[in-house]
């Protein structure tokens, strides 16, 4: 007996990383999966995004668990594309019980130097994408009088960080959107919650700019990046967290065990948000 037997979960950003881990974790507990991903590059994103082959691999891995899966290439910036994904999921798998709205992008730049294009892409994918996802699935969930929606935010929905104001602003908005949706759809027995990952072992931060960001060194390598990530966590022995760490929180929020929980955010951050912290960019006077 799985915790999600007979359920169908739609997951955005499912081609790789956390989205793929969520798909496999939910499938292992019995859910069929609608795997949605843009599966192509957005120009302002400084690392390679997922490919159609990545998305097909997620479907294959779900099928290997004896669960059904659909691959849907769709951009969360398009309300129409998400509505079509929902329609196809219902037509081919029967219904949608769970949505993990997980797709996201990251880029870097000082607040006043972020290009208007990068700003807009970040807001469109990281915030409006969740709004699009909610409005695509909500009529179906209202009709059924049930549903669990889980938005992926970030620790940067709670605390800012240098050099990505567009991401911080969008992610802060995700928690506001989540709470509004939780309140508005509570009478329909639809739960809306969020997960907030810390510093994750995914391709989103594996590029030279990401290595420089975590280490403060332009010549830093993936190995340096990995080492630096240990400084991010309070809990012992934690470097970049495995995507499955977040999947377990998604599974909990999707399951009946969380049937009375709505409007909440679960940081999966190894205690990062507890750390009082140092100024990472201190200004010294002449005689420190
Ligand atoms: N990696 C981290 O350290 C970290 C930390 C906190 C929060 N997050 C969040 O976790 C989520 C998952 O990221 P990840 O770490 O797995 O990174 P990732 O880059 O490996 O995966 C993100 C996936 O989203 C897809 N995607 C991006 N834009 C899309 C769009 N417009 N439409 C549809 N799909 C799109 C990508 O193709 C990719 O497959 C994101 O929301 C991200 O902001 C990540």
């Amino acid at each position: 007996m799985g915790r999600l037997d007979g359920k169908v979960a739609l997951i955005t950003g499912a081609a790789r990383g956390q989205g793929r881990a969520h798909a496999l974790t939910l499938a292992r507990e019995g859910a069929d999966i609608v795997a949605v991903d843009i599966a192509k590059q957005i120009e302002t994103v400084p690392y390679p995004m997922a490919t159609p082959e990545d998305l097909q691999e997620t479907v294959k891995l779900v099928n290997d668990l004896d669960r059904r899966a659909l691959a849907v290439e769709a951009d969360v910036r398009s309300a129409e594309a998400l509505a079509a994904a929902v329609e196809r999921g219902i037509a081919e798998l029967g219904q949608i019980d769970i949505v993990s709205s997980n797709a996201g992008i990251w880029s870097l730049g000082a607040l006043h130097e972020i290009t208007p294009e990068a700003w807009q892409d970040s807001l469109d994918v990281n915030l409006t994408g969740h709004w699009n996802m909610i409005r695509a699935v909500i009529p179906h969930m209202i009709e059924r009088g049930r549903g669990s929606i889980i938005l992926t935010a970030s620790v940067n929905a709670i605390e800012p960080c240098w050099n990505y104001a567009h991401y911080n602003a969008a992610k802060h908005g995700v928690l506001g959107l989540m709470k509004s949706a939780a309140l508005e759809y509570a009478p329909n027995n639809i739960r809306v919650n969020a997960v907030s990952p810390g510093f994750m072992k995914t391709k989103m931060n594996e590029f030279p700019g990401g290595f420089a960001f975590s280490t403060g060194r332009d010549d830093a390598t993936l190995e340096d990046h990995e080492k630096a990530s240990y400084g991010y966590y309070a809990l012992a022995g934690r470097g970049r967290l495995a995507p499955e760490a977040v999947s377990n929180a998604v599974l909990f929020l999707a399951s009946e065990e969380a049937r009375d929980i709505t409007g909440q955010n679960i940081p999966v951050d190894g205690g990062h948000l507890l750390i009082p912290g140092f100024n990472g960019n201190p200004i010294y006077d002449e005689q420190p």
Side-chain angles (χ1 to χ4, degrees), residues 9-232:
L10 184 152
I11 300 165
T12 68
R16 70 177 194 197
Q18 294 175 61
R20 177 185 284 171
H22 300 349
L24 298 182
T25 299
L26 302 191
R28 233 173 256 124
E29 291 293 336
D32 290 330
I33 304 294
V34 183
V36 176
D37 205 288
I38 188 173
K40 64 178 176 217
Q41 196 63 30
I42 293 176
E43 239 175 69
T44 58
V45 173
Y47 52 85
M49 289 171 58
T51 62
E53 292 71 36
D54 292 326
L55 186 56
Q56 289 304 332
E57 178 66 11
T58 296
V59 166
K60 181 191 167 298
L61 292 169
V62 171
N63 291 156
D64 288 348
L65 295 167
D66 281 336
R67 299 314 326 158
R68 294 181 294 170
L70 300 179
V72 182
E73 287 183 32
D75 185 338
V76 299
R77 293 174 294 181
S78 162
E80 294 73 27
L82 290 182
V86 166
E87 204 174 306
R88 212 184 128 201
I90 296 167
E92 296 189 33
L93 300 178
Q95 82 278 353
I96 292 172
D97 302 279
I98 298 155
V99 165
S100 159
S101 185
N102 157 82
I105 55 171
W106 190 51
S107 60
L108 289 160
L111 188 145
H112 62 290
E113 289 172 356
I114 292 168
T115 65
E117 292 76 20
W119 175 271
Q120 203 54 53
D121 283 345
S122 182
L123 270 288
D124 287 349
V125 175
N126 293 326
L127 179 55
T128 309
H130 293 295
W131 180 54
N132 288 339
M133 188 63 251
I134 292 171
R135 51 198 186 117
V137 79
I138 213 72
H140 172 67
M141 288 186 168
I142 289 175
E143 198 183 313
R144 299 184 72 228
R146 61 193 297 175
S148 173
I149 299 175
I150 300 128
L151 309 184
T152 297
S154 166
V155 293
N156 296 129
I158 295 167
E159 63 171 16
C161 192
W162 296 271
N163 283 331
Y164 49 86
H166 51 346
Y167 184 88
N168 295 323
K171 292 293 189 180
H172 274 66
V174 174
L175 293 189
L177 176 68
M178 178 274 286
K179 288 178 203 169
S180 298
L183 189 61
E184 290 199 25
Y185 303 119
N188 304 102
N189 194 35
I190 296 162
R191 299 183 296 106
V192 188
N193 293 286
V195 288
S196 281
F199 188 5
M200 305 303 298
K201 198 174 186 115
T202 65
K203 294 195 187 307
M204 177 173 274
N205 54 54
E206 290 178 5
F207 62 102
F211 304 159
F213 173 78
S214 64
T215 62
R217 284 186 16 231
D218 284 341
D219 62 346
T221 62
L222 176 60
E223 202 183 327
D224 300 325
H225 183 59
E226 199 67 69
K227 252 191 216 154
S229 71
Y230 281 77
Y232 191 81

